[in-house]
Amino acid sequence: MTAVALPSSDRPVLFDAAHSAAPLVDAILHYRGLETGALHVPGHAGGRTVGSGLRALLGNTFLASDVWLTPADATNARREAEALAAAAWGADTALFLLDGSSGGNRAVHLAQPSQHVVVARDSHTSTLAGLVLSGATPHWVTPRLDEGGFGISLGIDPAALDETLTGLSAQGHRAGLVSMVSPGYAGACSDVRALADVAHRHGTPLMVDEAWGAHLPFHPDLPAHAISVGADVAVTSAHKMLAAPSGAAIIFTKGDRFDADRISRVVQMTQTTSPLLPVLASIDDARRTMVSRGRGLLDRTLELVASARRRLAAIPGVRVAEAEDLGVPAERFDPLRLVISVAGLGLTGLEIEKLLRTPGPGLGTSGLLHPAVAVEGADESNLFVAITTGTSPDVVDALVTALRTLSCRPRRLLRPAWDGRLVEALLAPRTQVCTPREAHFAATETVPLAQSVGRTSAEPITPYPPGVPAVMPGECLDGDAVAALTRAVASGMHIHGSADPTLATVCVLRD
Ligand SMILES: Cc1ncc(COP(=O)(O)O)c(C=O)c1O
């Protein structure tokens, strides 16, 4: 391969003629080009008998691409595509996934060999699932919150990680894995280089859940991606910040601190043996697109988001989180994730999200017709927006116009601004009574949330966004946790993981 490095040495992306190929895309096109008669599953046989509803949703082309290649053809094409992805991200290995970064997080945890793992407290609920699967004891590191009152996690600090690892070795344990998230839900990236140094000094590999960072290697103005600054394993969702359908994700490994073959075995054990090939092929295609023209696409996207930030920040009652407000260096901030505080508009973020999704004269008393706009998420005071290479400038215009309209509502409708302490309360450390796996398999009973103080949770209780469990199975439901969860439900946050999503009741370990 002729390697041409990108401008920054942190970005070992290789440009090569090989990257103009997309082996998985080509394998499916080849099958279709032969007009092969299908005597195999999937049973729709190229879409012949699907109902009109599914055809309207997916179209003939998608259905005709859901084919069954010979195992050898499928494996060879997949391996070639994964090798190209590994080269594009500067990794040693890449594994394509159908079940998102969620599947990647579970697989990496199930592949780690130790009883002890160090886990950032702002980890996604899928990491918790990994802990239930592996049975490991988590040692939590509490993340730092932003300095601007947005209520946003900035990830973990190297000193806090060092302290946790040092404490563990003082007890005679070595952690089998450090598991953390970067970028966080607001686009703030941790100092992965320093964190990797700390983890490695303690003889522990570092895994970064980089679900939101698949685009990072492809533009010099974006933060460095985890594999380029020392992570041993990174998990990323191609479907989030790249042009791939939901579920498409990748696990990367670099170096020999983590056994890539064991991860591969776990992925084979836990994923379907009947992969939806167009999803895997979409990762192949996204890699080709980003290597060949990602820089130009991201140039335009960065311009779009810069203009959106300027226009939104000029709206009375609206604040847009910038790196300096959050307290992160600009080079560790992904501007494509927009956190828009709407606390000054007199409605919660969740209420505004609902108004934006309802087209027509929905914006308060304005009577203004507006198109439906769907944001990525919302909480009590913020809207969370992802701007990607696929975002249309018209949709950004619609968001700006809608928020301008809302800012003209009568002042008397304003409510006191939100204080941002809910996130802090939700992320607070809790007493761990047993491991998540022990709690998962223990005898349980259901009690009203209000009467659960002092009991041990049997289930993860995860307010969305951003999908970080406030209480893990095996943790004590203390008074602060119950109060924070009660407030999260009252503010309209969606609760994931618990059997009762209204949280009128919770599932706890039997006394
Ligand atoms: C930090 C983080 N990790 C993992 C995931 C899960 O990713 P996926 O939807 O690809 O399974 C999410 C989803 O939002 C996330 O925010």
Side-chain angles (χ1 to χ4, degrees):
M1 269 198 188
T2 336
V4 182
L6 275 173
S8 156
S9 59
D10 279 345
R11 295 158 200 278
V13 177
L14 305 182
F15 289 111
D16 187 271
H19 277 292
S20 59
L24 269 166
V25 176
D26 293 344
I28 298 171
L29 289 176
H30 179 71
Y31 175 104
R32 284 182 36 189
L34 295 176
E35 297 187 11
T36 312
L39 293 174
H40 57 63
V41 295
H44 63 70
R48 290 165 66 84
T49 50
V50 301
S52 55
L54 189 61
R55 191 175 302 286
L57 286 177
L58 297 183
N60 291 339
T61 314
F62 187 96
L63 291 162
S65 299
D66 179 16
V67 296
W68 184 249
L69 304 179
T70 67
D73 284 351
T75 304
N76 289 342
R78 185 171 177 158
R79 287 210 176 124
E80 280 175 41
E82 288 174 338
L84 285 166
W89 267 260
D92 293 342
T93 69
L95 281 167
F96 287 3
L97 306 172
L98 293 157
D99 52 353
S101 288
S102 302
N105 288 339
R106 288 190 294 264
V108 176
H109 274 267
L110 194 48
Q112 72 79 27
S114 166
Q115 183 53 39
H116 297 276
V117 291
V118 171
V119 188
R121 183 69 205 197
D122 59 348
S123 293
H124 187 253
T125 187
S126 52
T127 294
L128 179 267
L131 292 169
V132 171
L133 291 171
S134 73
T137 302
H139 301 268
W140 303 106
V141 186
T142 304
R144 195 159 60 87
L145 291 186
D146 77 278
E147 292 163 10
F150 288 90
I152 277 164
S153 164
L154 303 183
I156 55 172
D157 280 333
L161 176 61
D162 194 32
E163 197 182 320
T164 306
L165 285 165
T166 305
L168 251 181
S169 62
Q171 294 165 35
H173 302 308
R174 194 177 66 76
L177 185 70
V178 171
S179 169
M180 55 165 285
V181 179
S182 179
Y185 198 60
C189 293
S190 305
D191 188 349
V192 175
R193 193 189 295 278
L195 289 158
D197 283 349
V198 170
H200 295 162
R201 227 181 313 118
H202 286 269
T204 300
L206 178 75
M207 170 221 175
V208 179
D209 172 352
E210 203 172 39
W212 286 100
H215 58 309
L216 298 182
F218 302 105
H219 198 286
D221 294 346
L222 292 173
H225 64 298
I227 282 287
S228 72
V229 285
D232 303 286
V233 185
V235 175
T236 196
S237 300
H239 71 91
K240 288 194 192 297
M241 296 304 284
L242 302 182
S246 296
I250 320 175
I251 303 175
F252 295 108
T253 67
K254 185 159 179 156
D256 53 11
R257 286 191 182 85
F258 207 97
D259 186 346
D261 289 341
R262 193 185 289 123
I263 301 180
S264 170
R265 285 198 296 278
V266 173
V267 168
Q268 287 184 51
M269 279 192 302
T270 53
Q271 280 209 133
T272 175
T273 49
S274 311
L276 182 56
L277 286 180
V279 174
L280 297 181
S282 75
I283 308 175
D284 199 20
D285 193 59
R287 181 267 314 152
R288 175 166 63 181
T289 301
M290 293 315 283
V291 172
S292 58
R293 54 195 184 90
R295 172 74 191 257
L297 288 169
L298 285 166
D299 272 341
R300 280 198 293 284
T301 313
L302 285 164
E303 276 167 33
L304 177 63
V305 80
S307 127
R309 283 174 176 279
R310 273 194 305 277
R311 287 186 293 157
L312 287 164
I315 300 173
V318 169
R319 277 198 314 145
V320 179
E322 299 295 348
E324 60 272 25
D325 303 322
L326 297 175
V328 280
E331 67 276 12
R332 287 205 266 114
F333 181 64
D334 176 9
L336 302 191
R337 311 301 318 289
L338 267 175
V339 180
I340 307 166
S341 167
V342 289
L345 293 183
L347 293 165
T348 66
L350 288 150
E351 287 166 334
I352 293 183
E353 178 189 31
K354 216 182 215 172
L355 285 174
L356 290 172
R357 277 189 185 245
T358 315
L363 300 181
T365 54
S366 71
L368 187 84
L369 283 171
H370 75 99
V373 175
V375 294
E376 173 64 33
D379 64 17
E380 269 189 334
S381 74
N382 300 309
L383 297 175
F384 299 97
V385 169
I387 305 282
T388 69
T389 56
T391 304
S392 155
D394 292 346
V395 182
V396 175
D397 289 348
L399 174 70
V400 172
T401 307
L403 293 184
R404 259 193 215 130
T405 307
L406 281 172
S407 82
C408 298
R409 282 162 20 105
R411 294 285 102 184
R412 72 186 151 73
L413 295 181
L414 285 184
R415 287 194 298 240
W418 178 68
D419 60 19
R421 267 185 240 130
L422 177 58
V423 175
E424 203 174 338
L426 291 173
L427 283 178
R430 322 238 172 262
T431 305
Q432 196 169 305
V433 181
C434 60
T435 67
R437 185 179 173 92
E438 284 163 347
H440 177 75
F441 287 114
T444 62
E445 62 182 326
T446 300
V447 297
L449 177 66
Q451 290 165 30
S452 68
V453 175
R455 303 294 298 270
T456 304
S457 182
E459 55 188 6
I461 308 179
T462 309
Y464 259 82
V468 174
V471 178
M472 315 272 179
E475 286 185 338
C476 181
L477 279 150
D478 54 43
D480 289 348
V482 170
L485 288 169
T486 305
R487 181 168 155 193
V489 174
S491 73
M493 284 177 96
H494 171 72
I495 307 292
H496 178 91
S498 51
D500 175 0
T502 69
L503 281 194
T505 59
V506 285
C507 185
V508 295
L509 266 56
R510 231 182 263 160
D511 278 338

